[in-house]
Amino acid sequence: MSRTAVVALGGNAFTREDQQGTFAELAENARAMAETVHALRRAGWNVVIVHGNGPQVGNLAIQQEEGASVVPALPLSALGAMTQGQLGSLISISLRQTARAGEDIDVATIVTHVAVASDDPAFDDPRKPIGPFFHGDAVTEAVETRGWTMVEDSGRGHRRVVPSPKPQAILEAASIRTLADAGVVVVAAGGGGVPVVDEGNGLAGVDAVIDKDYAAQQLANQLGADALVLVTGVTNVMVDFGRPTQRALDEIGVDEVERHLADGQFPEGSMGPKVRAGIAFLRNGGSTVVVTTPEFAATALADDESSRIGTRIVADIVGAPAAEA
């Protein structure tokens, strides 16, 4: 019986640091990511893809504002849905383009809605960067004329930040499960999903962008997935990063990862969200979390321990020290 892996791909993987985000760049990057999915499927996994949209939804928001004198601008929640279609289409096309001769592949992109709490503290503390980087006077202008909240991001300039509430439920999870169980590659919860709140008389979209790693974790648990694959730019998660004692984590138990997290090993602006999402998946019934680069995702899930590359976090390791109370 096929196992199911939920794979989280970052929006920065579609628009890389040295790129402008042209359609040709997006399409080329999607083809590179497709190879990760093919490798997992060839290893016997059903695959559900969750992708980020930070650069793309921020760019689309600027286009909306610039065109508002001609056509009405749409809210951020609607732009999130639009990027689900945009990037989902690119993934679908790229999977078909890169399939081997005679290799059948069926792909479905699901516009996904995600319930969030209307009183989530994130609405009063925006931290999710979206869109391009700004420098110098352009930062002040964005604050004064557009009303944006801007923060410095990774030493590369300032970006707009928006609220990023925690996902509470993936509303289309049952349909996604049906498709995945049938062997369809499903693209779901794109950009973290469209955030919605229950206003008492129905659901309404809210202006926010959900973190794709947390959305992938929530979806993986609702699906009862066997593995959560968090794709990043480094082969392994590191502890004591930048120090003489720096070391890569290979296979590690969730208790030990939690201790490292409590010790401040994984900053929120770096590996923190991935580690927190992985812990939540395992604490809610998941069995395996992988954090590695796209080319090693399937290898990190291999049954053969000698061939694994990447960080693998598991619910329990026999003989590991117990977590402190």
Side-chain angles (χ1 to χ4, degrees), residues 1-309:
M1 180 181 294
S2 294
R3 299 165 293 179
T4 297
V6 174
V7 181
L9 302 169
N12 290 323
F14 283 98
T15 303
R16 296 175 182 169
E17 184 177 343
D18 58 345
Q19 295 179 335
Q20 294 181 314
T22 66
F23 186 80
E25 289 170 342
L26 294 173
E28 181 62 29
N29 293 336
R31 283 191 288 273
M33 289 186 286
E35 296 297 344
T36 299
V37 179
H38 285 308
L40 286 166
R41 293 184 75 246
R42 290 163 190 155
W45 291 88
N46 289 332
V47 180
V48 176
I49 303 168
V50 176
H51 62 79
N53 72 344
Q56 297 79 31
V57 77
N59 291 355
L60 187 55
I62 293 173
Q63 292 173 340
Q64 292 282 312
E65 291 187 14
E66 293 295 325
S69 62
V70 181
V71 294
L74 299 177
L76 188 60
S77 58
L79 304 187
M82 292 167 69
T83 60
Q84 286 191 42
Q86 173 200 16
L87 299 177
S89 173
L90 284 171
I91 293 171
S92 178
I93 290 171
S94 67
L95 284 168
R96 290 179 168 89
Q97 287 177 334
T98 55
R100 293 173 180 170
E103 190 172 43
D104 292 330
I105 185 165
D106 193 4
V107 189
T109 297
I110 305 295
V111 175
T112 311
H113 302 82
V114 180
V116 301
S118 59
D119 60 351
D120 191 301
F123 287 112
D124 296 319
D125 184 21
R127 296 189 182 188
K128 174 66 175 176
I130 64 172
F133 289 88
F134 290 82
H135 305 273
D137 292 342
V139 178
T140 303
E141 182 181 359
V143 173
E144 294 179 350
T145 64
R146 298 180 186 269
W148 291 354
T149 301
M150 304 286 286
V151 299
E152 194 278 329
D153 184 12
S154 307
R156 293 179 287 168
H158 284 69
R159 295 176 76 188
R160 178 188 179 185
V161 289
V162 299
S164 185
K166 292 294 191 298
Q168 296 190 328
I170 309 295
L171 302 191
E172 290 80 8
S175 297
I176 295 166
R177 182 187 297 112
T178 298
L179 289 166
D181 288 346
V184 177
V185 177
V186 186
V187 185
V194 178
V196 295
V197 297
D198 188 348
E199 296 188 332
N201 58 350
L203 297 173
V206 290
D207 284 347
V209 175
I210 299 171
D211 182 274
K212 61 94 178 42
D213 291 323
Y214 292 136
Q217 170 265 309
Q218 180 65 43
L219 178 58
N221 282 127
Q222 284 186 237
L223 296 180
D226 301 275
L228 175 63
V229 180
L230 302 170
V231 175
T232 185
V234 294
T235 304
N236 289 72
V237 179
M238 310 291 289
V239 293
D240 292 344
F241 182 76
R243 305 174 192 170
T245 53
Q246 173 180 304
R247 64 185 175 91
L249 299 179
D250 297 317
E251 181 164 280
I252 184 171
V254 66
D255 289 343
E256 185 177 352
V257 167
E258 283 192 320
R259 289 195 293 273
H260 288 314
L261 180 65
D263 289 340
Q265 290 281 358
F266 312 119
E268 285 306 305
S270 178
M271 200 60 72
K274 288 180 171 52
V275 171
R276 290 182 185 278
I279 291 170
F281 174 66
L282 295 170
R283 292 301 189 200
N284 287 280
S287 61
T288 306
V289 173
V290 161
V291 186
T292 191
T293 53
E295 60 268 33
F296 295 125
T299 304
L301 284 176
D303 294 327
D304 181 5
E305 296 183 15
S306 64
S307 65
R308 292 176 188 162
I309 299 175

